[in-house]
Amino acid sequence: MQLPYLTASSRVRMSPFTARVEAAGVQAYTTYNHMLLPTIFRSPLEDYAHLKSAVQVWDVAGERQVEIRGPDALKLVQMTTPRDISRMKDDQCFYIPNVDENGGMMNDPVLLKLDAERYWVSLADSDMLYYYKGLANGLGLNVEIFEPDVSPLAVQGPKAGTLIGRVFGEDVVATRFFRHTQVEIAGKPMVIARSGWSLQGGFEIYLEGSEHGEHLWDLLFDAGADLDVRAGCPCTIERIEGGLLSYGNDMTLEHTPFEAGLGKYCNLDTATSCLGHAALVQKREPTRQIRPVEISGDAVPALRAPWPVSTPSGEPVGFVSSAAWSPDFNTNVAIAMVDRAHWTAGTELQVQTPAGLQGLLVRDRYWV
Ligand code: THG
């Protein structure tokens, strides 16, 4: 089934790269933080195969930054996350759950520490800017909070290091995973991190100054022509294979980090100033949790709402939140929230997809 067309307007923001993305033949968009986010260039399967064999440039400007600067910056960010960020280094990136007072997931951003009094919260798709402003103003904290003119451009794929080396030098390629360093673009220092929403490895360039977007894009494409560099985008098939979660799909405000399988990012012994701390202590042992699951039978259609999961006798036990046909693993790869009594690897369940009832097998790990 074909989704209806997405109507354009200023409210659905363009990115500094949109002109180049459209010249490259983007075929579909979703929205992310009220900005266009490309989803298909040639076809989902062609984009997937290319991501895993070459190098792609992704317009992920929709991963908007909340800049928090001032003497209370650390205090404010720590109030929103159960991950202990007190010992973060000035060149570090942390994947953090953002939770409310009930321990419900509000976002799962990448946090960048720029210096002791300056952070970027690189958001998933929810309006955290207003939450941070509300907290800071309500408590009279000494911070400035705003959305800077910063737009991430991801370079992902097995040849990402080759391309980045050509454009920015081998020192940049040597940056460690989830660390950032600086490069000069259009004569301005900008942040580049070893990170990205794929399992193929790569970098994210935090473009500062929208006016330089097309220049940066062209630098990468000019240097990578012989590498078959292409415009790409986050790939649903590949990110499910690797177990990267999507906020709003795999978890929402209704789920704790423990239910989302993000318990390893919760330091309840030390992150006691997190506003959700007391709730999370109570909710440490979840009664449902995210699981990698395999769906048997034909290739599943696109998921537009969670698909109900039940036992063979029809008892409801959870939902599939993301699913796609994987050519490389020759099966439907999926992520589901499953009740505790049924979440053991090897458990056979069933799922109601728009195409009918299909078998579902709980796995013990993701595919890569
Ligand atoms: N990059 C940046 N901002 C982002 C994303 C990104 N904001 C939105 C969204 N993606 C946030 N969600 C994630 C989810 C997973 C990861 C990164 C961002 C990720 N996880 C690794 C994993 O699970 O294997 C490693 C996490 C770790 O070791 O700390 O990379 O992609 N700028």
Side-chain angles (χ1 to χ4, degrees), residues 32 63 65 83 94-95 108-110 112 122-124 152 177-178 195-197 199 204 206 243-245 265:
Y32 204 79
E63 294 166 354
Q65 312 301 301
R83 184 161 181 186
F94 267 19
Y95 179 43
D108 69 331
V110 175
L112 284 80
S122 185
L123 293 180
F177 186 60
F178 268 57
S195 56
W197 210 56
L199 272 290
E204 292 180 300
Y206 290 76
L244 296 177
L245 303 183
Y265 303 112

Side-chain angles (χ1 to χ4, degrees), residues 19-34:
R20 289 293 187 268
V21 159
E22 296 190 351
V26 66
Q27 293 197 48
Y29 285 120
T30 185
T31 68
Y32 204 79
N33 289 316
H34 316 283

Side-chain angles (χ1 to χ4, degrees), residues 144 279 300 314 321 323 361:
E144 277 181 78
V300 292
S321 52
L361 177 68

Side-chain angles (χ1 to χ4, degrees), residues 109-311:
V110 175
L111 175 68
L112 284 80
K113 183 175 184 181
L114 300 169
D115 66 44
E117 298 192 354
R118 185 168 174 233
Y119 294 84
W120 280 342
V121 185
S122 185
L123 293 180
D125 188 23
S126 77
D127 294 310
M128 286 299 291
L129 177 69
Y130 305 130
Y131 185 83
Y132 280 110
K133 278 178 165 292
L135 266 188
N137 286 312
L139 296 169
L141 298 183
N142 191 357
V143 282
E144 277 181 78
I145 301 171
F146 57 98
E147 185 188 280
D149 181 12
V150 171
S151 297
L153 186 67
V155 180
Q156 301 286 300
K159 297 181 182 165
T162 308
L163 179 54
I164 291 296
R166 286 184 191 176
V167 178
F168 299 115
E170 289 305 316
D171 286 358
V172 172
V173 179
T175 309
R176 285 188 284 156
F177 186 60
F178 268 57
R179 299 278 174 154
H180 61 80
T181 186
Q182 276 192 359
V183 291
E184 202 167 284
I185 298 164
K188 286 182 62 180
M190 298 191 198
V191 172
I192 182 168
R194 186 95 186 233
S195 56
W197 210 56
S198 85
L199 272 290
Q200 303 309 308
F203 298 81
E204 292 180 300
I205 304 160
Y206 290 76
L207 176 82
E208 278 187 78
S210 292
E211 68 277 17
H212 304 303
E214 295 174 21
H215 170 64
L216 170 58
W217 183 279
D218 294 341
L219 280 179
L220 294 164
F221 278 81
D222 290 346
D226 62 307
L227 301 174
D228 192 25
V229 59
R230 291 186 198 168
C233 48
C235 173
T236 301
I237 314 167
E238 196 266 356
R239 71 95 182 166
I240 297 173
E241 290 175 353
L244 296 177
L245 303 183
S246 168
Y247 185 74
N249 288 315
D250 300 313
M251 69 290 200
T252 69
L253 195 58
E254 302 304 310
H255 304 107
T256 67
F258 297 110
E259 291 174 333
L262 301 178
K264 66 180 166 186
Y265 303 112
C266 297
N267 309 112
L268 296 185
D269 294 341
T270 52
T272 52
S273 63
C274 170
L275 296 181
H277 182 267
L280 287 177
V281 168
Q282 296 304 312
K283 297 176 182 179
R284 252 183 165 132
E285 300 297 335
T287 57
R288 56 182 179 176
Q289 196 171 54
I290 275 182
R291 283 289 180 275
V293 299
E294 191 164 304
I295 300 176
S296 59
D298 291 344
V300 292
L303 186 152
R304 295 181 69 178
W307 295 337
V309 174
S310 55
T311 63

